[in-house]
Amino acid sequence: MQGEGFIEKFNDKTAIVTGGGSGIGRALCRELGKRGAVVIAADINFEGAGETAASIPKAKAVSLDVAKPEDVKKLIHDTANEYGKLDYIFNNAGIVIIGEVRDLDDEHWRRQIDVNLMGVVYGTTTAYKLMVKQGFGHIVNTASMAGLMGTPAFAPYSLTKHGVVGLSTALRAEGEGLNVKVSVVCPGFVQTPMATDFNAVNVDREKFAASIPNVFVSAEKAARIILDGVAKNKAIIAFPFAFRLVWWLYRIHPSLAAPLARKMIKDFRSTRLDA
């Protein structure tokens, strides 16, 4: 059943969460655990994934680099074989490298594309084929508000997140008649390690971090919002309200976002190391 009026339950469901070792991923794992799910916390940081799994009644930790397609495929198939099904995959792992395009090199682009976009592609396509065969499942991909509107100084990140939104909304239509659901998560600022421990190119990290408006949502609240949205089978789960409002205005008249973008890049340039 694909309509938003249907409320899914998580009790005894099997869920893979990539990036489960910290931030939104860890919060999702714990909230899924509270709601009765069997959780596989997957992360390139196996120690972090282990700490997450240790706090959940029915959970296990797995080491995973989402940029390696064979490893992603193996985890998905191993999970389905072990538990007899895969109800959910949360393709949540991601990285961010901040900087103006004039300061970035090929590797800055390649790394974000490999993790943020291709990592989601590998998890999505493998899980989708498996879920089509088993006749059910829900794929949840983490994008960003930067995937709904171009964000200056975050160009590679914004590119990858736009790709995740496009993939998710296109596949949702394909999966609708095959009993496979697809949702995409587009948060604004969430209080996670990535919000403060980011990579920055030609930027005073501390000065930039201090310039970010204090509009953060806690990772725990974000996880609750996400799972409530998943339970209602929402296509796009965007939050908090202030960011959703900006997005609505942007959809009505894209030019309304131009002053905001100009202010963002002006503020960002004040934190440049060569300013």
Side-chain angles (χ1 to χ4, degrees):
M1 187 173 183
Q2 198 75 1
E4 290 189 10
F6 178 69
I7 304 298
E8 298 180 27
K9 306 297 182 183
F10 296 94
N11 192 48
D12 292 327
K13 303 296 186 181
T14 302
I16 294 172
V17 181
T18 69
S22 63
I24 293 176
R26 172 171 286 180
L28 277 170
C29 289
R30 289 175 172 169
E31 188 63 27
L32 282 162
K34 290 179 183 177
R35 301 188 188 200
V38 177
V39 180
I40 294 82
D43 203 297
I44 195 169
N45 175 8
F46 181 64
E47 182 178 354
E51 292 172 358
T52 298
S55 64
I56 302 168
K58 296 179 287 185
K60 65 183 291 186
V62 177
S63 177
L64 178 70
D65 181 350
V66 297
K68 296 180 178 179
E70 294 308 316
D71 291 355
V72 174
K73 292 175 183 178
K74 184 176 187 303
L75 171 61
I76 290 169
H77 288 296
D78 285 354
T79 300
N81 289 334
E82 180 175 353
Y83 296 98
K85 60 176 182 173
L86 176 62
D87 297 287
Y88 297 95
I89 184 167
F90 292 80
N91 292 303
N92 170 77
I95 61 172
V96 60
I97 301 172
I98 298 170
E100 291 192 55
V101 170
R102 56 177 162 163
D103 297 315
L104 303 177
D105 60 31
D106 291 347
E107 184 56 31
H108 294 132
W109 291 84
R110 186 179 299 110
R111 182 58 181 158
Q112 290 185 85
I113 291 170
D114 285 348
V115 175
N116 296 353
L117 182 56
M118 294 312 301
V120 173
V121 170
Y122 303 143
T124 296
T125 56
T126 303
Y128 181 70
K129 292 172 184 177
L130 185 151
M131 289 173 175
V132 168
K133 288 181 180 179
Q134 70 182 13
F136 60 89
H138 199 146
I139 297 166
V140 185
N141 294 329
T142 300
S144 166
M145 291 302 290
L148 298 173
M149 300 183 295
T151 307
F154 290 78
Y157 184 78
S158 192
L159 177 151
T160 61
K161 296 305 184 179
H162 271 76
V164 171
V165 172
L167 167 65
S168 303
T169 53
L171 188 61
R172 182 178 174 89
E174 290 190 30
E176 190 169 20
L178 300 172
N179 209 33
V180 179
K181 306 176 183 71
V182 183
S183 300
V184 61
V185 179
C186 296
F189 293 126
V190 179
Q191 190 64 58
T192 68
M194 193 166 75
T196 55
D197 189 23
F198 49 82
N199 292 316
V201 179
N202 196 28
V203 176
D204 184 322
R205 292 177 68 259
E206 292 185 3
K207 191 175 180 181
F208 174 74
S211 73
I212 299 174
N214 187 19
V215 289
F216 286 92
V217 173
S218 71
E220 292 73 22
K221 183 175 181 179
R224 293 192 296 271
I225 293 171
I226 292 167
L227 292 189
D228 288 347
V230 170
K232 295 175 182 177
N233 189 27
K234 288 187 175 181
I236 299 176
I237 304 167
F239 63 94
F241 176 77
F243 285 85
R244 198 161 66 246
L245 178 61
V246 172
W247 175 47
W248 286 340
L249 292 172
Y250 174 75
R251 292 163 71 190
I252 294 169
H253 206 312
S255 65
L256 293 174
L260 177 61
R262 285 194 290 268
K263 183 180 187 308
M264 287 179 66
I265 193 61
K266 180 180 179 181
D267 291 346
F268 180 82
R269 285 176 174 161
S270 71
T271 70
R272 288 178 62 90
L273 294 175
D274 63 357

